[in-house]
Amino acid sequence: MLLVMAETLRRQGLYLIGDSAYALRSFLVTPYDNAKPNTKEDNFNFFLSSKRIYVECAFGEIDRRWGILWKALEGELSGHKYTIDSCLRLHNFIVEYRLSKEKTTEEDSYELQELERASNDFYGSNPLETPGV
């Protein structure tokens, strides 16, 4: 399927990153074989590997997160793309949510403190309205 899409990928400037187990293709970037230390080829291999590591870690995280991927998928191969697409989208949603929680600004912190203060005032003035009841 990728061979059919190779020209479209190339025109859009899109490439897949592979390791040395794959043959070089027009749509697949692989490391140089037997690159000598401190050469342009060695530098390229280093940077290619560093990018590939991010992808491999993401796949590892996705695999651990979704139990459906812990064994071979059952059913028609054509339906697997929906299962995999769903896992990837949910993974991205969780990662984006996690990152958004880490980026709490001073203004966000102030708003959270004000919300907590207002909630405490409300519950303090309404003894019949207690949290968790």
Side-chain angles (χ1 to χ4, degrees):
M1 180 167 148
L2 285 174
L3 290 174
V4 174
M5 296 181 61
E7 183 59 27
T8 304
L9 291 170
R10 189 191 62 72
R11 273 184 296 188
Q12 293 177 0
L14 300 175
Y15 302 92
L16 298 177
I17 299 173
D19 61 19
S20 57
Y22 295 95
L24 182 64
R25 301 282 187 141
S26 62
F27 58 88
L28 181 66
V29 179
T30 60
Y32 286 95
D33 289 332
N34 304 318
K36 297 199 179 351
N38 301 318
T39 62
K40 291 179 186 178
E41 291 82 5
D42 184 45
N43 289 340
F44 175 83
N45 285 354
F46 173 79
F47 288 108
L48 183 68
S49 174
S50 67
K51 299 307 175 203
R52 204 178 74 243
I53 287 170
Y54 285 112
V55 175
E56 290 174 0
C57 288
F59 279 130
E61 192 174 331
I62 292 165
D63 184 48
R64 284 188 310 276
R65 176 172 280 141
W66 308 116
I68 195 168
L69 301 176
W70 296 347
K71 59 183 175 127
L73 294 174
E74 297 177 6
E76 293 292 319
L77 184 61
S78 61
H80 294 343
K81 64 182 174 185
Y82 300 111
T83 302
I84 294 168
D85 183 62
S86 298
C87 290
L88 295 174
R89 288 175 187 268
L90 287 168
H91 168 78
N92 288 343
F93 175 79
I94 291 169
V95 168
E96 288 172 11
Y97 178 79
R98 185 187 326 144
L99 291 174
S100 73
K101 288 297 182 188
E102 291 175 0
K103 294 181 182 176
T104 304
T105 64
E106 194 173 308
E107 184 177 317
D108 293 336
S109 180
Y110 175 75
E111 288 177 2
L112 289 172
Q113 289 172 356
E114 283 296 304
L115 180 61
E116 186 173 344
R117 185 192 57 73
S119 296
N120 291 336
D121 289 349
F122 174 78
Y123 289 123
S125 64
N126 295 288
L128 298 177
E129 298 288 329
T130 54
V133 176

